[in-house]
Amino acid sequence: MPVAASAIYFLNLRGDVLINRLYRDDVGGNMVDAFRMHIMQTKELGTCPVRQIGGCSFFYMRISNVYVVIVVSSNANVACAFKFVVEAVSMFKSYFGGAFDEDAIRNNFVLIYELLDEIMDFGYPQNLSPEILKLYITQEGVRSPFSSKASDKPIPNATLQVTGAVGWRREGLVYKKNEVFLDIVESVNLLMSSKGSVLRCDVTGKILMKCFLSGMPDLKLGLNDKIGLEKESQMKSRPAKSGKTIELDDVTFHQCVNLTRFNSEKTVSFVPPDGEFELMKYRITEGVNLPFRVLPTIKELGRTRMEVNVKVKSVFGAKMFALGVVVKIPVPKQTAKTSFQVTSGRAKYNAAIDCLVWKIRKFPGQTEPTLSAEVELISTMAEKKSWTKPPIQMEFQVPMFTASGLRVRFLKVWEKRGYNTVEWVRYITKAGSYEIRS
Amino acid sequence: MAMHGMRGLSVFISDIRNCQNKEQERQRIDKELGNVRNRFKNEKGLSPYEKKKYVWKMLYIYMLGYDVDFGHMEAVSLISAPKYPEKQVGYIVTSCLLNENHDFLRLAINTVRNDIIGRNETFQCLALTMVGNIGGREFAESLAPDVQKLLLSSSCRPLVRKKAALCLLRLYRKNPDVVNVDGWADRMAQLLDERDLGVLTSSMSLLVALVSNNHEAYWSCLPKCVKTLERLARNQDIPQEYTYYGIPSPWLQVKTMRALQYFPTIEDPYTRRTLFEVLQRILMGTDVVKNVNKNNASHAVLFEALALVMHLDAEKEMMSQCVALLGKFIAVREPNIRYLGLENMTRMLMVTDAQEIIKRHQAQIITSLKDPDISIRRRALDLLYGMCDVTNAKDIVEELLQYLSSADFTMREELSLKAAILAEKFAPDLSWYVDVILQLIDKAGDFISDDIWFRVVQFVTNNDDLQPYAAAKVKEYLEKPAVHETMVKVSAYILGEYSHLLARRPGCSPKEIFGILHEKLPTVSTTTIPILLSAYAKILMHTQPPDQELQSQIWAIFNKYESCIDAEIQQRAVEYFALCQKGAALMDILAEMPKFPERKSSLIKRAEYSEADTAEQSAIKLRAQQQPSNALVVTDQPPANGATSPVPVGQLSLAMVPSMITTEDHTSTDPASSQQNGSLTKVDPQHPSADLLGDLLGPLAIEGPPGATVQSEHNAVSRLEGGPDAVDGSAIVPVEEQRNTVQPIGNIAERFHALCLKDSGVLYEDPYIQIGIKAEWRAHHGRLVLFLGNKNTAPLVSVQALMLPPAHLKMELSLVPDTIPPRAQVQCPLEVVNLRPSRDVAVLDFSYKFGTNMVNVKLRLPAVLNKFLQPIPVPAEEFFPQWRSLSGPPLKLQEVVRGVRPMPLPEMANLLNSFRLMICPGLDPNPNNLVASTTFYSESTHAMLCLIRIETDPADRTQLRMTLASGDPTLTFELKEFIKEQLISIPTAPPQSPAPAPAPAPPPAAQATPQIPPNDPAALLAGLLS
């Protein structure tokens, strides 16, 4: 396994080091100054997540108001390093119980040092699973062995855990009520030309699960995707029931999924870890159902006036509705006055982002609200800069709708005790970068 | 005050200050800008308070570095507000946001003017400040008189007049041509009588600017300046607020003395004496004290006084006093003062007498060379370099050499160069010079440029007595364990050439010398190996009788390097090896290098060049010019071959680099090596100058110049001898008469004549512009293109080209742009239509402006008669009927021409051919006669056949009989005259050399008919001759 990091730094937005850990001594302690000088204080920040300065490579990403920087001087595996950061952050979040930001770091110095010691050794990533780490890196005080009160919990055996056959699940879990939550979360990325033709469109989705199940259950998930259905139809030698099958690209599974069974039987079967986890990720490029159509007409009337008309059409079922719809319509920088007429929601001009922002809290399906705005521009000294017309952006969430059309066909739970389980399935589609050129 | 109660503004500023990061700040500012835009766009309009507030906000945002590209209108409109707070913000924001080239400022001019001529003093001040900050040309045009009035008005408070003076200064600096300062001398003098020191200081600044432009007009101010200075120096009537640490207004003192330095001398003895008293007082009264500020101020005054003393060329006593003072300064601890002391001493060198006095401080200066501060060390080095002369050269150079080993690396190159130059310039004897340079190479080999060792080789080569000494010396150095590569180069060269002179000495046998040199071979780089190989070859050659062992050793080395990857080394090895086999021939080829022609040291050139861009070097430069001393002159050994003519310095490297010489040696089969150097030195040092039109007209343009001088000589001669020509010569004069300061490059007439024979080339050239022509002729139409090429990096303006066409030509010149951008070429097509036959010439009246220099030239255009000719071969069966049908005048004219420039018949035939008259051989049975035919095109005659017959007399080539026939009487006459002109005035024989066709004087109108106008010289001539 390649090295992932020689050192890891957590910096705030000003470039102060909040906390750091050196894993190898092949980078100097002052390398972070180079990062500050050559990356943070230049325009390059945010353009390229990997930079090489003076023989060292810097991998950085921003998470809320913290920069996480990995410094490496050897030929490291970049993907591994970034994956490590992402996993570490999600682990920190589960420890802090929510946000990961500057304040959270400041409040948990000791814990973070402990965790940093544990999750990486000499630059090689170690176990990052919070479930297991929580067994021996606890936030509570350590009970004294002389304490008279006997522990009511069995002392966890972490070593056995990690080296056992099912490393991600503890044995002997007992729940009164056995429940499984399954969420399919998709985000739609779209770039549409002004004439309404789709230039680029894809959906990235993930299946999130939350399990509260006793014992060592075996779960089996069936989706209406092509692989599974084809297999099934082959086995039962009859045509598929539902006409529509979904072709998933780039499917990745959580480590608990039995890949040999997936390869041989094409079924997703797994022993889930306890608690929350991401079961799989996928991507779809064909046959995307777009939830919204946007029809903009923007007219420039002379040098100082503009007329903006935007019609947004929801094309999902009439019974469904979208939440938190925001349409951002860019306007030139010299916008002075705006006046709006909207059939639903509220609109205003936001000078900080040079956009007309139209918000609709609840947006039912099969409707088409419109916005018409008049924009007055102020005359400027400089020669009229040609306005580049950035695309209109949209944000939304549509519950119980999947842009890919993916559906859960079954979720079976099998446990030797044979208890009853309750399965909850949710769907939600969000906007990724949903852009329409005007 | 104005900020009071502007809550919105203070809230905004505190918001910005509370921003955590740049991103937040940007968002806040974008939001605010949106708000401001919204408010400015409001139809209802803003109250003055709101407007003021938003404009302040805009300014604050602008000061934070954000782009504010709107709202200038609002800012400018605030200027005209009646209340002070609004007016103030208007002025401030306008002068921050706008610059002098902004159109918006035009709107403000009138308001500003109203404020200036108004009665409110605060408004006047605001307006003057704004104009003083951003006043441009238009401001100067419309406001300068008012500002001048304000400056002089007695009713104004000093505050206003102070600002007026500074405002005027700015306007004058920006546009000296717009501000009218005629007759200002008296007013300035009057201003200098001012008692208020504030006004006086401002006026003095103005005076410095005025005087620097034109000191003549301000003589009357001189005594006043001295008086002011006296008042300050004596500390009379100086208010408390104008004394700075007890010094009465040091700023005014400095400015006054600066102003005085612009006057060349002071005539009036009384003023002069007063001034010297004052200066004396300043020189005496300044001391180094503890307080830094006081020190700075008093020394600023003092050094300005020193500069003035130097400028005025005071008496020796005062001078020595100054030097003594400076000597004191260079000994103090304070580094700033020491630096200034050294710098001023360097400047002092300019004054002739001071040098001797400065020399007394030599020891102290040398101590400064070891100062921890590098800038002081540099100054000390400059000073030492400047003060060096024959008497102290030895000490100084030795000091520099000693210092070299401990000097800073950044200084070593400069140091070694300067030491080398000094050694060369002031060497008491040449052996000392050789010693110094060798020491230099030994101590700072890395910093020795090639020029330095080339130079020493050159000296050694040119001085026979020096050769054994140098050879012995380099051998000594070479015997040291670690030797720098440059030293190996020098030694190899010198030992190769002159080691045989040492042969008698112990340890100097060829074999031993070879041994010493060969030891170094493995350590040197590829650039040195060739020199070593040459040295080996020379040693081998000088070994008489031949030493078999040495020979085989050297041959083995040559053999080894025959397969070297470096082409230079390989070639030498192969060639030396081949030459060595030749025995006796080797002697000639490898003979001693001939003497180098005497030339100015390239080192000194280089030093001068490097000094050119440093400001304070003028003293050294001046001195270098004053004493062009040269070791060759200083020494009592003039070079042996003084006959060799000096060659431009640029060639030094060419002649010097041994590699080039030797390659030449061996590729040449001629063994006479003495000639080789000669042939090398003949290499033309002139590089063809960058020619703008080169890409188009290059080959043609080059043809022009070489014949030019010859031609003009001939012209002069023929003008003296041949009466007829003199007339023509003078006829040319008015056309190219020059009132211009710009001298054309090349002879305009020559260029014109060349263009009469060919279709493209350069018509005119001067240092700024080159005008080229390219022409195409088809029947009676012609299409010329003028190429106007600006040769400079500045644009040429007011370019005008006016055609003065003669009556027979219809010419249309396309629009010539008013400005030719730098280094650009503009093409101007010109259409020509020939209406009638005539010999008159079109004239182009061309003018342009470069800087303030107006240049106007009148150029003849080569749209001459022969351009409309088309050669046509006519067979005998057609010729004779034609010839016969055109009988007698006016269609057929015959004339005996005398005074023809004698030339052989074929040459004349060539000449006629070049005029597009086609010689038809064999038509005339008499071999001494020429028959030619051609077609002439014009709008009136269309295509017209012309037949020519020229009968020459083999006994007397100066006369001939010419017969011309064509269908048009005018054409016959004009063509005859044209050919006659060409034949008579041909000054040189070769047909390719352009014939200066004598052109008739410009007034062309009368020439349309064959009637002989009395003022046409050519026609008069024709009348005389027939």
Side-chain angles (χ1 to χ4, degrees):
Chain A
M1 189 161 99
V3 174
S6 293
I8 186 164
Y9 289 91
F10 295 83
L11 308 164
N12 68 7
L13 294 186
R14 280 203 316 203
D16 303 329
V17 179
L18 299 171
I19 194 166
N20 70 316
R21 176 78 169 85
L22 294 170
Y23 290 108
R24 294 170 154 240
D25 49 10
D26 54 356
V27 296
N30 57 351
M31 283 314 288
V32 73
D33 294 335
F35 176 78
R36 204 181 298 132
M37 292 286 294
H38 297 288
I39 301 175
M40 289 195 83
Q41 289 174 5
T42 58
K43 285 184 183 157
E44 319 235 334
L45 188 66
T47 54
C48 175
V50 180
R51 283 291 307 278
Q52 288 190 300
I53 303 166
C56 278
S57 307
F58 291 85
F59 314 143
Y60 66 94
M61 59 196 299
R62 182 177 161 175
I63 291 146
S64 71
N65 57 358
V66 175
Y67 280 103
V68 183
V69 184
I70 278 187
V71 188
V72 142
S73 70
S74 55
N75 185 12
N77 184 339
V78 181
C80 175
F82 279 114
K83 181 69 183 167
F84 171 76
V85 172
V86 170
E87 288 297 321
V89 167
S90 70
M91 187 233 2
F92 286 137
K93 278 182 180 162
S94 93
Y95 261 97
F96 304 158
F100 174 82
D101 54 16
E102 194 180 338
D103 291 333
I105 292 176
R106 288 190 191 283
N107 295 334
N108 294 287
F109 272 139
V110 180
L111 177 65
I112 294 173
Y113 274 126
E114 261 186 277
L115 288 169
L116 286 176
D117 278 348
E118 202 54 51
I119 58 178
M120 182 169 268
D121 195 6
F122 197 54
Y124 300 106
Q126 307 294 312
N127 198 340
L128 282 142
S129 152
E131 287 77 34
I132 293 169
L133 286 170
K134 275 176 182 167
L135 294 181
Y136 48 96
I137 299 179
T138 53
Q139 284 163 287
E140 295 129 37
V142 178
R143 195 174 299 280
S144 154
F146 305 108
S147 160
S148 57
K149 199 179 170 195
S151 121
D152 46 1
K153 261 193 210 168
I155 296 161
N157 187 344
T159 321
L160 202 73
Q161 271 290 312
V162 177
T163 53
V166 184
W168 54 88
R169 190 176 176 90
R170 197 149 52 91
E171 283 190 55
L173 290 167
V174 180
Y175 287 97
K176 251 183 224 162
K177 195 175 174 188
N178 291 302
E179 279 180 312
V180 183
F181 297 88
L182 188 142
D183 290 356
I184 295 184
V185 181
E186 294 190 337
S187 70
V188 195
N189 299 314
L190 170 76
L191 180 64
M192 194 180 258
S193 77
S194 54
K195 297 204 178 80
S197 59
V198 174
L199 300 174
R200 199 178 65 220
C201 178
D202 62 279
V203 172
T204 55
K206 50 189 174 185
I207 300 179
L208 302 174
M209 286 191 83
K210 208 185 244 180
C211 297
F212 302 110
L213 294 171
S214 315
M216 278 293 200
D218 211 348
L219 273 72
K220 200 170 171 188
L221 174 69
L223 299 168
N224 63 337
D225 64 323
K226 218 168 203 172
I227 311 166
L229 286 175
E230 268 172 12
K231 187 71 197 170
E232 211 162 87
S233 60
Q234 261 176 25
M235 277 162 64
K236 295 182 181 166
S237 62
R238 63 163 191 222
K241 278 182 280 180
S242 68
K244 201 179 169 194
T245 57
I246 314 293
E247 190 159 9
L248 303 178
D249 302 334
D250 307 336
V251 182
T252 51
F253 290 110
H254 187 265
Q255 58 167 334
C256 64
V257 174
N258 190 336
L259 290 178
T260 41
R261 265 170 92 181
F262 177 75
N263 285 336
S264 59
E265 296 170 29
K266 301 291 172 196
T267 51
V268 181
S269 70
F270 54 97
V271 177
D274 194 35
E276 206 177 317
F277 68 103
E278 186 184 284
L279 179 69
M280 67 182 278
K281 283 193 290 195
Y282 58 90
R283 210 163 55 86
I284 286 182
T285 48
E286 303 280 316
V288 177
N289 311 320
L290 294 173
F292 292 99
R293 293 244 162 214
V294 181
L295 307 164
T297 43
I298 296 178
K299 274 188 269 180
E300 286 182 62
L301 309 167
R303 288 194 53 172
T304 57
R305 277 187 64 221
M306 270 175 62
E307 216 176 72
V308 180
N309 280 298
V310 179
K311 185 191 279 180
V312 181
K313 203 169 164 184
S314 55
V315 287
F316 44 86
K319 285 177 187 165
M320 289 190 272
F321 52 84
L323 293 174
V325 177
V326 179
V327 186
K328 292 179 186 166
I329 306 146
V331 288
K333 216 161 166 43
Q334 63 265 32
T335 299
K337 277 188 75 179
T338 48
S339 62
F340 300 96
Q341 278 186 320
V342 285
T343 54
S344 88
R346 272 189 196 166
K348 67 172 198 281
Y349 166 59
N350 185 341
I353 53 172
D354 293 316
C355 283
L356 305 179
V357 180
W358 180 20
K359 288 183 183 167
I360 304 166
R361 196 166 295 173
K362 196 166 174 183
F363 197 135
Q366 302 297 337
T367 54
E368 37 177 277
T370 57
L371 166 143
S372 64
E374 264 191 37
V375 177
E376 280 186 64
L377 309 177
I378 202 161
S379 54
T380 59
M381 279 308 293
E383 296 297 304
K384 192 171 188 286
K385 294 168 208 153
S386 61
W387 180 46
T388 48
K389 277 199 182 181
I392 294 176
Q393 292 180 330
M394 229 182 136
E395 293 167 19
F396 54 80
Q397 286 188 5
V398 191
M400 301 318 284
F401 172 83
T402 51
S404 58
L406 195 70
R407 286 276 177 274
V408 174
R409 286 178 57 240
F410 59 83
L411 176 64
K412 290 174 185 159
V413 181
W414 181 86
E415 219 274 341
K416 39 189 176 193
R417 269 176 273 177
Y419 49 73
N420 282 329
T421 52
V422 187
E423 294 106 13
W424 305 90
V425 177
R426 276 198 301 184
Y427 303 96
I428 192 163
T429 296
K430 294 177 182 168
S433 94
Y434 205 84
E435 297 182 331
I436 298 96
R437 290 188 182 157
S438 52
Chain B
M1 21 159 215
M3 314 286 271
H4 273 312
M6 274 193 283
R7 219 179 102 71
L9 179 61
S10 39
V11 166
F12 170 61
I13 292 177
S14 68
D15 274 4
I16 295 280
R17 292 195 179 154
N18 286 336
C19 283
Q20 299 277 326
N21 51 40
K22 202 78 188 153
E23 182 67 4
Q24 272 180 19
E25 184 184 298
R26 197 191 59 75
Q27 283 188 359
R28 179 72 184 86
I29 281 179
D30 278 341
K31 192 178 149 203
E32 194 59 45
L33 281 177
N35 181 28
V36 176
R37 282 197 295 262
N38 189 8
R39 292 310 178 101
F40 281 169
K41 196 72 187 182
N42 219 328
E43 286 86 4
K44 278 178 285 180
L46 298 162
S47 70
Y49 165 78
E50 282 176 316
K51 213 184 219 178
K52 179 180 76 178
K53 186 175 80 181
Y54 291 123
V55 172
W56 273 126
K57 277 185 185 173
M58 266 169 50
L59 180 63
Y60 187 74
I61 292 170
Y62 179 76
M63 275 159 53
L64 288 174
Y66 295 88
D67 195 21
V68 178
D69 57 356
F70 65 93
H72 301 92
M73 193 63 192
E74 279 75 14
V76 170
S77 71
L78 275 176
I79 291 181
S80 51
K83 280 196 203 143
Y84 177 77
E86 280 115 56
K87 207 182 251 307
Q88 181 203 26
V89 61
Y91 273 118
I92 291 180
V93 174
T94 307
S95 48
C96 287
L97 257 54
L98 301 181
N99 64 27
E100 60 178 287
N101 300 322
H102 253 296
D103 290 341
F104 259 111
L105 275 185
R106 226 171 267 162
L107 302 174
I109 289 185
N110 216 19
T111 333
V112 174
R113 182 158 187 272
N114 284 338
D115 278 344
I116 285 182
I117 57 180
R119 306 222 51 87
N120 188 325
E121 277 181 355
T122 33
F123 290 179
Q124 280 177 337
C125 287
L126 283 175
L128 288 172
T129 311
M130 200 267 272
V131 176
N133 279 325
I134 54 167
R137 191 174 188 87
E138 281 173 53
F139 274 83
E141 278 164 2
S142 53
L143 297 180
D146 296 319
V147 177
Q148 283 172 329
K149 221 181 278 168
L150 213 54
L151 174 60
L152 294 171
S153 103
S154 52
S155 60
C156 286
R157 276 208 307 180
L159 178 71
V160 179
R161 297 176 57 205
K162 212 156 70 179
K163 283 187 190 289
L166 292 177
C167 177
L168 192 60
L169 173 63
R170 146 95 188 193
L171 295 180
Y172 181 71
R173 275 193 190 146
K174 275 272 173 194
N175 305 93
D177 49 327
V178 172
V179 180
N180 182 12
V181 289
D182 297 339
W184 259 75
D186 299 339
R187 291 179 199 159
M188 280 317 293
Q190 188 188 327
L191 274 174
L192 295 179
D193 284 334
E194 176 68 42
R195 299 312 296 171
D196 184 277
L197 279 189
V199 179
L200 201 52
T201 312
S202 311
S203 316
M204 199 55 85
S205 300
L206 181 59
L207 180 69
V208 170
L210 291 171
V211 169
S212 67
N213 250 19
N214 171 20
H215 66 84
E216 286 299 332
Y218 295 93
W219 279 112
S220 56
C221 297
L222 200 148
K224 310 261 179 178
C225 287
V226 176
K227 229 167 105 190
T228 310
L229 205 55
E230 196 188 355
R231 174 181 160 201
L232 289 167
R234 290 180 193 281
N235 204 350
Q236 292 167 332
D237 182 23
I238 308 295
Q240 188 55 43
E241 66 262 32
Y242 284 101
T243 45
Y244 180 79
Y245 289 94
I247 307 162
S249 188
W251 295 277
L252 181 54
Q253 291 196 40
V254 168
K255 272 180 189 157
T256 315
M257 286 191 275
R258 180 68 50 85
L260 285 173
Q261 283 174 56
Y262 283 108
F263 296 100
T265 67
I266 298 176
E267 307 284 349
D268 180 35
Y270 172 73
T271 319
R272 196 177 161 87
R273 205 172 54 243
T274 324
L275 180 59
F276 278 130
E277 268 169 33
V278 172
L279 290 175
Q280 186 85 30
R281 188 184 272 266
I282 294 173
L283 292 184
M284 291 289 84
T286 311
D287 236 331
V288 182
V289 291
K290 266 262 167 71
N291 189 316
V292 182
N293 288 335
K294 179 167 180 162
N295 249 351
N296 287 344
S298 62
H299 284 94
V301 175
L302 175 70
F303 283 113
E304 201 61 48
L306 282 175
L308 186 56
V309 170
M310 282 183 244
H311 171 76
L312 292 174
D313 225 354
E315 302 90 64
K316 194 158 184 185
E317 192 190 335
M318 194 148 183
M319 238 10 137
S320 57
Q321 206 178 345
C322 290
V323 178
L325 204 60
L326 289 175
K328 208 170 83 193
F329 286 155
I330 61 174
V332 298
R333 285 239 334 262
E334 173 68 38
N336 283 345
I337 295 176
R338 208 161 47 217
Y339 179 93
L340 286 170
L342 288 169
E343 197 192 7
N344 275 278
M345 240 186 209
T346 315
R347 227 185 269 165
M348 207 82 176
L349 289 169
M350 234 189 315
V351 186
T352 38
D353 302 337
Q355 212 174 342
E356 287 305 314
I357 319 170
I358 290 175
K359 271 191 206 162
R360 289 183 215 145
H361 301 283
Q362 192 170 316
Q364 186 58 48
I365 297 165
I366 286 169
T367 327
S368 296
L369 210 50
K370 285 151 192 140
D371 197 277
D373 187 336
I374 186 158
S375 46
I376 291 184
R377 291 202 298 268
R378 279 186 195 281
R379 283 298 131 239
L381 177 61
D382 279 347
L383 179 54
L384 279 179
Y385 176 71
M387 66 190 278
C388 188
D389 63 11
V390 185
T391 56
N392 57 4
K394 228 168 169 163
D395 296 337
I396 288 181
V397 170
E398 259 151 39
E399 198 55 55
L400 291 182
L401 279 178
Q402 227 175 54
Y403 174 52
L404 191 61
S405 42
S406 63
D408 205 61
F409 280 101
T410 49
M411 256 178 94
R412 283 198 184 178
E413 183 167 6
E414 197 189 345
L415 195 60
S416 55
L417 181 67
K418 286 194 162 155
I421 293 169
L422 291 179
E424 182 184 332
K425 263 165 73 178
F426 304 113
D429 59 85
L430 281 174
S431 54
W432 179 78
Y433 169 72
V434 171
D435 280 349
V436 168
I437 300 292
L438 290 181
Q439 269 188 60
L440 210 56
I441 295 173
D442 188 37
K443 281 186 173 160
D446 286 330
F447 303 96
I448 300 294
S449 60
D450 282 349
D451 290 346
I452 295 178
W453 78 264
F454 287 176
R455 191 74 182 151
V456 75
V457 164
Q458 210 174 331
F459 272 115
V460 173
T461 310
N462 284 8
N463 293 280
D464 297 331
D465 300 351
L466 201 58
Q467 289 159 1
Y469 176 78
K473 203 78 192 168
V474 293
K475 182 177 160 279
E476 261 173 51
Y477 274 107
L478 217 51
E479 276 165 352
K480 287 187 178 177
V483 179
H484 192 269
E485 190 164 338
T486 312
M487 184 62 92
V488 178
K489 286 183 190 170
V490 189
S491 329
Y493 191 90
I494 292 180
L495 287 178
E497 293 289 327
Y498 308 114
S499 64
H500 62 278
L501 301 173
L502 304 177
R504 299 262 169 75
R505 301 192 190 179
C508 295
S509 71
K511 218 167 169 178
E512 280 159 306
I513 298 276
F514 168 75
I516 297 169
L517 277 177
H518 192 51
E519 226 169 65
K520 309 293 176 204
L521 183 69
T523 62
V524 297
S525 65
T526 47
T527 50
T528 316
I529 294 175
I531 305 178
L532 281 171
L533 292 185
S534 304
Y536 295 165
K538 294 221 172 186
I539 291 173
L540 190 61
M541 184 267 292
H542 284 302
T543 316
Q544 293 301 343
D547 180 339
Q548 284 307 322
E549 197 188 331
L550 182 65
Q551 187 173 340
S552 59
Q553 241 176 327
I554 292 177
W555 285 9
I557 295 165
F558 288 159
N559 254 325
K560 181 180 151 204
Y561 281 104
E562 268 177 6
S563 54
C564 180
I565 192 146
D566 187 284
E568 175 69 36
I569 299 173
Q570 188 185 26
Q571 188 175 2
R572 281 196 195 214
V574 171
E575 288 174 358
Y576 286 141
F577 188 69
L579 284 166
C580 287
Q581 322 288 340
K582 297 227 187 270
L586 187 66
M587 289 292 269
D588 289 331
I589 294 165
L590 294 178
E592 206 170 288
M593 291 299 284
K595 305 273 186 253
F596 288 96
E598 221 179 292
R599 57 178 73 108
K600 194 180 177 193
S601 166
S602 66
L603 290 182
I604 293 173
K605 275 235 149 177
R606 215 178 93 184
E608 279 169 12
Y609 179 75
S610 69
E611 276 162 11
D613 47 4
T614 56
E616 77 289 350
Q617 301 287 347
S618 51
I620 298 165
K621 205 170 167 187
L622 202 75
R623 245 164 57 79
Q625 284 161 1
Q626 281 166 354
Q627 332 177 311
S629 59
N630 187 325
L632 288 177
V633 183
V634 174
T635 55
D636 44 4
Q637 297 173 322
N641 53 350
T644 44
S645 60
V647 174
V649 183
Q651 250 183 282
L652 173 69
S653 54
L654 189 64
M656 268 301 305
V657 176
S659 67
M660 299 196 70
I661 296 168
T662 32
T663 356
E664 181 81 17
D665 268 353
H666 305 302
T667 44
S668 149
T669 47
D670 187 355
S673 65
S674 60
Q675 274 188 0
Q676 268 144 24
N677 205 0
S679 67
L680 259 176
T681 49
K682 265 182 228 153
V683 173
D684 190 354
Q686 282 182 342
H687 298 281
S689 60
D691 191 346
L692 271 183
L693 304 172
D695 50 347
L696 178 73
L697 305 168
L700 303 164
I702 295 166
E703 280 173 28
T709 48
V710 185
Q711 199 96 56
S712 57
E713 271 169 30
H714 277 291
N715 256 350
V717 170
S718 61
R719 210 172 287 168
L720 287 174
E721 292 169 354
D725 243 15
V727 183
D728 289 330
S730 63
I732 299 170
V733 175
V735 179
E736 53 181 64
E737 184 186 38
Q738 295 208 358
R739 287 162 291 111
N740 312 323
T741 48
V742 176
Q743 282 301 317
I745 297 169
N747 186 334
I748 297 179
E750 287 306 331
R751 292 190 191 277
F752 169 71
H753 294 315
L755 283 171
C756 286
L757 293 181
K758 57 193 188 182
D759 281 341
S760 55
V762 177
L763 181 67
Y764 172 79
E765 187 171 358
D766 67 24
Y768 306 121
I769 197 166
Q770 188 183 44
I771 304 177
I773 262 194
K774 194 175 179 180
E776 270 176 62
W777 306 96
R778 189 156 299 139
H780 62 281
H781 289 283
R783 189 184 151 80
L784 284 86
V785 183
L786 296 174
F787 295 86
L788 309 175
N790 182 356
K791 296 173 27 171
N792 278 75
T793 47
L796 296 179
V797 292
S798 308
V799 177
Q800 274 189 335
L802 200 67
M803 286 306 313
L804 309 171
H808 73 283
L809 293 178
K810 203 163 83 187
M811 299 186 118
E812 252 177 76
L813 179 62
S814 71
L815 197 67
V816 178
D818 189 49
T819 314
I820 306 178
R823 297 236 165 252
Q825 195 186 56
V826 179
Q827 298 189 9
C828 305
L830 170 66
E831 301 289 344
V832 182
V833 180
N834 187 22
L835 303 174
R836 286 182 298 275
S838 166
R839 284 169 298 141
D840 296 343
V841 183
V843 173
L844 173 71
D845 184 349
F846 183 81
S847 61
Y848 67 91
K849 205 167 163 186
F850 181 81
T852 54
N853 212 350
M854 187 76 198
V855 181
N856 181 300
V857 281
K858 292 197 171 54
L859 303 165
R860 287 177 293 168
L861 284 182
V864 286
L865 187 69
N866 65 329
K867 298 286 185 190
F868 302 102
L869 296 176
Q870 194 64 51
I872 180 171
V874 180
E877 55 269 28
E878 282 178 37
F879 185 90
F880 290 111
Q882 287 277 353
W883 186 255
R884 255 173 257 126
S885 71
L886 304 164
S887 56
L891 294 183
K892 192 186 215 169
L893 293 171
Q894 191 170 66
E895 186 179 328
V896 175
V897 185
R898 296 196 177 79
V900 176
R901 162 90 177 79
M903 65 176 110
L905 208 59
E907 212 166 276
M908 187 181 288
N910 268 342
L911 181 72
L912 291 178
N913 266 334
S914 71
F915 285 118
R916 306 193 191 191
L917 305 168
M918 189 167 215
I919 301 294
C920 309
L923 280 184
D924 202 303
N926 188 339
N928 286 321
N929 293 354
L930 288 175
V931 171
S933 59
T934 189
T935 332
F936 178 78
Y937 291 90
S938 76
E939 206 167 67
S940 62
T941 59
H942 303 290
M944 183 72 76
L945 187 70
C946 306
L947 305 173
I948 302 116
R949 180 166 182 235
I950 294 173
E951 296 151 281
T952 61
D953 182 355
D956 182 2
R957 289 242 166 249
T958 60
Q959 62 172 356
L960 49 79
R961 191 168 70 174
M962 184 161 64
T963 316
L964 257 114
S966 80
D968 183 84
T970 325
L971 174 61
T972 311
F973 175 78
E974 293 289 339
L975 190 59
K976 185 195 75 177
E977 291 302 317
F978 179 78
I979 296 172
K980 196 171 74 187
E981 283 165 12
Q982 303 305 326
L983 290 177
I984 290 177
S985 60
I986 302 301
T988 48
Q992 69 269 23
S993 78
Q1007 293 256 323
T1009 53
Q1011 284 134 9
I1012 302 166
N1015 60 346
D1016 181 5
L1020 279 174
L1021 185 71
L1024 282 173
L1025 288 169
S1026 53

